[in-house]
Amino acid sequence: MTNHGSITQRRVATNGIALNIAEQGSGPLVILLHGFPESWYSWRHQFEPIANAGFHVVAPDMRGYGKSDKPADISAYNQVEVVNDIIGLISALGHETAIVIGHDWGAPTAWSTALFHPDKVSAVGALSVPFSPRPEAPPLDTLKAIFKDMFFYQLYFQAPGVAEAELEQNVKQSLRKFYHMASGDIDIADFTPRPADADLLSDTPDPGKLGPWCSEEDLEFYTAEFSASGFRGPLNYYRNHNLTWQLTEGAPRQITQPAMFMAGQKDGVIMMAAEALKAMDKNVPNQVLHELIPDCGHWTQQEAPDAVNKGILKFLEQVS
C-alpha cells in the first residue's frame, strides 16, 4: 500500500484480475474512471473534495494501466470485460451500489456500467464523452468509411505494435505532445487533415512544457507509469470497438439513472460527438447536470478542477 497525501493505494481482486486502486474517505462509494493515456492520478484534484463531502472515493488504474494487471490478449480489453472489472470492484470494496463517473475512455465504461447494471449503479456521470446507444453498424467499419483517405488516430491505433513503438520511443515527449494537442491550450481550428499514412506525433509540435494544469512533477508521474507499463494495454481499448459491438447486441438504448455530463468547450471530442451530444436529452432523460466549461480542452478534471469539483459535488448532493 502506498500513500499520496491522504490518498492510499492497494490492489483489489475483481473479475479474474487485480486492479490497483487509489482511495480516500468513507461513506457511499464513488468510482472515478480515467481515460487514455492516463492513470488514477488524473483524478488527483477530486479525491479530497469528494471524500470531505462524505464519500468513499476510489479511482482504479484501469486494466492495462499502471500497477493494475495487464492481460496479454487484445480481446481482454473489450468494454464488457472492462465494465465487469468495475462492477466486481463495487462488491469487492464491500458496497452494494456505487455512483460511477468516467472521463475519456472511462466515460463509455461509466455509461455502460449504468446501462447494463442498473441494480449496481445508482447514478452515473461522464466528462468529455456523451452517451451513444449501440450503433447500427460496427464502429470501425464506419470510421474507415469516414476517414478513408485521412489520418485518424483510432485507425492508426489498430495495428498491434505500431503506435506502441512510436509512443514508447520517448515516453515523456510523447505524453507531453499528446496532452498538449488535446488541451485547451491550442486552437482546434489550426488542425489540418493529414494523409492516411501519417503517424501520430511527428508533425505535432513539442510545447517544451505543458500548461499549469500539468506540472513537470505531474508529467514525471505519468512518464514513470508508462515507462513501466508500456502502451499496449491502453491501445488495446481501441482495438476492441467491433468486438464490444458484437458482444452488446440488443443493449438498452437509454440511461435511466440520474446522470451528469460535463465537457470542455474546447474539447475536440465534443465536435466529433456532436450528434450524440444533441441526442443526450432523449438518450439520458434524467440529467441532473449538463455543463460545458469555457476555455477548457479535453483533460477536463485536470484543466478545470474547480468547475469539475463544483459540478460533481452538486450532482452528488442531488443523487445521494
Side-chain angles (χ1 to χ4, degrees), residues 13-26:
T14 170
N15 189 30
I17 63 167
L19 295 182
N20 176 57
I21 66 160
E23 65 186 329
Q24 191 175 341
S26 61

Side-chain angles (χ1 to χ4, degrees), residues 84-121:
N84 288 341
D85 292 349
I86 305 311
I87 296 301
L89 195 56
I90 297 171
S91 42
L93 293 169
H95 293 266
E96 289 291 313
T97 62
I99 296 164
V100 183
I101 300 172
H103 166 255
D104 185 81
W105 258 116
T109 304
W111 292 127
S112 294
T113 61
L115 195 67
F116 294 107
H117 302 274
D119 56 323
K120 288 284 181 196
V121 180

Side-chain angles (χ1 to χ4, degrees), residues 216-234:
E216 195 58 24
E217 189 188 0
D218 296 331
L219 185 60
E220 285 292 350
F221 179 90
Y222 287 123
T223 302
E225 293 284 284
F226 285 100
S227 298
S229 69
F231 286 88
R232 180 182 159 91

